[in-house]
Amino acid sequence: MTKKAIGVSLLVAGAMAVGAMALTSSSASEHRGTVIQVIDGDTVDIMVSGAKTRIQLLNVATPQTKQPQRSAECLGPEAAGFLERTLPAGQKVTLEYDAQRTDHEGQTLAVAYKADQLINSEIAAQGFGIAIKFDPNTKFHEQVSQAQREAESAERGLFSTKIACTIPAQINDAMKAMHSVPVELGQTVEQADARAQQAAAAIAAGRAAADALQAQDRKEQLVSAVLAEDALAPALEDLAETIEQTADLEIQHEQQVATLSKKVNAGRKAAGKQSPTQLPEETKAEEPRPKKSQTNSPRKSKKQSQPENQPKRVNPDRKPVNDNPLEQKPSREHLGSRVNPRANCEAPNGQSSKNC
């Protein structure tokens, strides 16, 4: 090889080395970034290669907080707060990519490392997000899924039964209400009716929770919909089965109410008693009217008795009458009629009257 050929070869090799160094430097800058701000639980703005880049964290989804005209999903603000504490402004991170680099909104799809800590998995491990897979990006899905299973076992975040808004808490409350309905039948009408009403209320709460969870839309509430379809599907099946069992128990209590009511009514008829409140309005007995008070004053006699010592009144124009018939003197006329009964029978001419 001549000196001229050797010189050309050295120039080509040098150019290739410089190009390789430039490519290596450009590739390294794409994997390093500085946090600018957190947008929500799984979205962050990072300065990459001198440009502000919106990063959508791969294979993890957190409850939404930025949807217009909708309230934030359960634990959405808490997930955003966790990411803000984990990746404060100015934090240096390392980015890794998968087969597809951007989504339909133009956001860059990547995972973020803080030192050796995979942030995507840490979000799921704390219960603030769930593992999710969108083909063809599946490279980090298993790591995030493993972190989610840890959260489920520890009942953290979205898997807690002590946070009222979570799906497990709603299912747990509905199950407790139905399990609290007594199995034993009531011994009185009132007791049986109270247990039937308790069962009805528990069933209504259970059905409301089941309907709400099964009606989740992936476009509006992605996390809740995925949980209902996947991780919490067995719990929803248990809820449906418990609803059916409680419905059967409600029927038994209602039948007991009917049975006891018949016995009570039969007993009243046998005793000839019936509660006035259960009678029709027209058959209710009228209450007796109170009688007028009567005084015990003696009636006044038409003839007033005179006092014993009061003297008898005497009419001055009237001759005193002797009440003793033995002392009474007969009148002349009376005597005459008795001495000569024929004295008055003589006729004027001395002839006797026919009547005598």
Side-chain angles (χ1 to χ4, degrees):
M1 182 180 292
T2 62
K3 292 182 179 181
K4 185 176 181 180
I6 294 172
V8 172
S9 298
L10 291 174
L11 288 173
V12 171
M16 292 177 65
V18 171
M21 290 178 61
L23 182 61
T24 302
S25 176
S26 175
S27 177
S29 65
E30 291 181 352
H31 291 272
R32 294 192 298 268
T34 304
V35 174
I36 300 174
Q37 66 176 346
V38 169
I39 305 303
D40 58 23
D42 53 20
T43 310
V44 59
D45 287 343
I46 299 177
M47 187 68 70
V48 180
S49 299
K52 180 180 179 180
T53 305
R54 178 151 294 183
I55 302 294
Q56 176 66 50
L57 296 178
L58 272 173
N59 298 131
V60 66
T62 61
Q64 295 297 315
T65 59
K66 303 296 182 180
Q67 288 184 341
Q69 299 179 349
R70 287 185 64 87
S71 58
E73 286 187 76
C74 176
L75 295 185
E78 289 79 0
F82 172 76
L83 191 59
E84 287 175 350
R85 295 190 299 273
T86 306
L87 298 179
Q91 176 67 49
K92 301 295 184 181
V93 294
T94 300
L95 302 176
E96 294 288 342
Y97 306 96
D98 205 344
Q100 183 176 330
R101 296 281 292 263
T102 58
D103 61 11
H104 62 283
E105 295 180 355
Q107 300 177 123
T108 299
L109 302 174
V111 297
Y113 284 93
K114 177 182 177 181
D116 295 332
Q117 183 184 30
L118 180 58
I119 302 303
N120 306 48
S121 295
E122 190 61 25
I123 293 172
Q126 296 302 318
F128 293 122
I130 60 171
I132 194 165
K133 179 168 60 176
F134 291 107
D135 293 332
N137 294 338
T138 61
K139 182 178 179 180
F140 304 97
H141 180 262
E142 182 53 37
Q143 290 176 263
V144 180
S145 295
Q146 179 60 38
Q148 176 183 322
R149 287 190 287 271
E150 294 176 6
E152 290 181 38
S153 299
E155 294 188 358
R156 297 192 194 107
L158 293 168
F159 303 96
S160 173
T161 58
K162 298 180 180 180
I163 301 175
C165 66
T166 65
I167 295 176
Q170 295 177 49
I171 295 176
N172 188 61
D173 290 345
M175 297 283 278
K176 279 185 177 180
M178 288 184 286
H179 287 153
S180 66
V181 178
V183 177
E184 298 79 7
L185 299 179
Q187 299 302 311
T188 65
V189 175
E190 293 77 11
Q191 190 180 58
D193 185 61
R195 294 181 180 184
Q197 293 183 18
Q198 182 182 355
I203 292 168
R207 286 174 176 167
D211 292 344
L213 297 174
Q214 292 172 352
Q216 301 294 341
D217 188 351
R218 277 177 169 260
K219 293 181 180 180
E220 296 181 356
Q221 295 179 318
L222 176 62
V223 172
S224 297
V226 172
L227 285 174
E229 295 172 2
D230 186 15
L232 300 178
L236 285 173
E237 291 177 0
D238 291 341
L239 177 61
E241 183 178 353
T242 305
I243 290 173
E244 292 181 2
Q245 293 173 352
T246 310
D248 293 338
L249 187 57
E250 180 190 12
I251 294 173
Q252 295 177 24
H253 287 307
E254 289 177 345
Q255 290 175 344
Q256 180 72 349
V257 171
T259 301
L260 294 176
S261 298
K262 288 181 180 179
K263 289 183 179 180
V264 170
N265 293 332
R268 285 176 178 171
K269 290 181 180 179
K273 297 179 180 180
Q274 192 170 9
S275 176
T277 57
Q278 295 179 350
L279 292 175
E281 190 67 26
E282 62 272 10
T283 61
K284 289 184 179 180
E286 295 185 357
E287 296 181 359
R289 296 181 180 178
K291 295 182 179 180
K292 294 182 180 179
S293 60
Q294 296 180 352
T295 60
N296 295 326
S297 59
R299 295 182 181 179
K300 293 183 180 180
S301 175
K302 293 182 179 180
K303 295 182 180 181
Q304 296 289 342
S305 60
Q306 295 181 354
E308 295 180 358
N309 299 329
Q310 185 176 351
K312 295 182 179 180
R313 294 181 182 180
V314 179
N315 189 348
D317 298 332
R318 187 177 179 182
K319 293 181 180 180
V321 178
N322 191 350
D323 294 334
N324 191 348
L326 298 177
E327 296 180 0
Q328 290 182 359
K329 295 181 179 181
S331 65
R332 185 176 180 180
E333 293 80 5
H334 188 211
L335 290 173
S337 61
R338 294 181 61 186
V339 173
N340 188 8
R342 299 179 61 88
N344 294 329
C345 294
E346 294 181 354
N349 297 326
Q351 298 177 359
S352 60
S353 173
K354 294 180 178 180
N355 296 329
C356 295

